[in-house]
Amino acid sequence: MKNRECDGKNSGTRYINPHKHHYRFLLQEIGLWQTLQPEAIEKELLVLGENLLDFYTGKLSVTEICSECLHIFNKEKINNSEKLNRWLFPFEFRKIQLSDSSEWVVKAGLDTERFLHIHPAKQSPFTVRVRAATLKTVVALQILSIPVENNSNENLQKVNEVRKEILHLSPIKTLHPQKGIYRFWVNFVNGFQ
């Protein structure tokens, strides 16, 4: 596993999917996606998937995360799927802790070239659990530079426009200030401070 294989730039050899799991990486992507036409945004956001996911909001870059993971894997002599499986046995995954105290799940990858996969652990420091549709909604709002307003009705209208017209998702009935899309949107804008 080489460092470049984790940097998020080469989707064919990634061991981490930073689009689904890394806040600061996604901020950079949003800057690129802001140059797209609205109809292309939905296609780009498909990489965020459809499920519940754990989203890292800490300070470590994707490269730093991969470097620290590489150090752990090298120390444990994990350099192929057979050695990974022995290290994992009898479980399907193991957690490792990085320098910022965040925890990451290590599990077998889907093929021999990418024999392992890492993602933030649930309930780890600097990790929030979010639905993919919520993440897509907030990212689309950011791509379109739609600010969070003080008026909840105006926010709801903007969220539903993005969900229906850009993402082809169902509209929502309310935006609760302490949870869901609104809370994630505010945290996303404020850098998860």
Side-chain angles (χ1 to χ4, degrees):
M1 184 165 139
K2 297 175 184 154
N3 215 8
R4 69 172 182 76
E5 294 173 323
C6 254
D7 68 5
K9 294 177 184 163
N10 184 345
S11 62
T13 56
R14 253 193 330 250
Y15 291 92
I16 178 176
N17 183 340
H19 290 94
K20 291 169 70 171
H21 298 299
H22 199 282
Y23 172 65
R24 295 186 193 297
F25 176 86
L26 204 48
L27 285 178
Q28 294 172 352
E29 291 296 286
I30 287 169
L32 298 172
W33 291 340
Q34 285 176 327
T35 63
L36 300 176
Q37 296 298 315
E39 58 273 3
I41 293 172
E42 180 189 13
K43 182 180 176 190
E44 290 296 324
L45 295 181
L46 288 176
V47 297
L48 300 179
E50 299 296 326
N51 301 318
L52 203 57
L53 48 98
D54 296 301
F55 192 66
Y56 175 74
T57 62
K59 302 275 189 234
L60 294 176
S61 69
V62 173
T63 301
E64 290 168 328
I65 290 165
C66 289
S67 292
E68 290 190 28
C69 289
L70 278 169
H71 178 75
I72 292 168
F73 301 145
N74 288 335
K75 183 179 169 188
E76 297 290 334
K77 297 180 176 37
I78 300 168
N79 56 14
N80 62 42
S81 59
E82 185 178 307
K83 291 178 181 177
L84 174 67
N85 289 334
R86 279 197 301 260
W87 183 72
L88 293 174
F89 186 81
F91 306 106
E92 291 182 30
F93 67 89
R94 279 178 84 169
K95 288 183 187 178
I96 57 175
Q97 188 175 62
L98 302 186
S99 62
D100 67 348
S101 75
S102 65
E103 294 178 332
W104 291 74
V105 171
V106 180
K107 62 182 189 175
L110 298 177
D111 60 47
T112 54
E113 193 175 310
R114 293 181 299 271
F115 66 92
L116 63 84
H117 174 74
I118 60 174
H119 62 82
K122 179 171 67 169
Q123 299 176 340
S124 167
F126 311 112
T127 298
V128 294
R129 185 153 265 213
V130 63
R131 295 186 187 287
T134 296
L135 181 59
K136 287 178 187 178
T137 301
V138 170
V139 169
L141 290 163
Q142 294 302 109
I143 292 169
L144 298 170
S145 301
I146 298 173
V148 180
E149 302 290 344
N150 290 329
N151 183 320
S152 60
N153 288 335
E154 200 171 314
N155 287 330
L156 181 62
Q157 180 183 350
K158 290 176 182 180
V159 164
N160 282 333
E161 282 176 21
V162 165
R163 286 177 65 87
K164 290 187 297 187
E165 295 173 22
I166 304 292
L167 301 174
H168 305 290
L169 295 171
S170 300
I172 58 171
K173 293 179 183 175
T174 60
L175 279 175
H176 191 281
Q178 300 302 317
K179 60 184 181 179
I181 292 172
Y182 184 81
R183 181 177 179 192
F184 191 76
W185 187 12
V186 169
N187 285 332
F188 201 99
V189 169
N190 292 329
F192 291 94
Q193 297 173 3

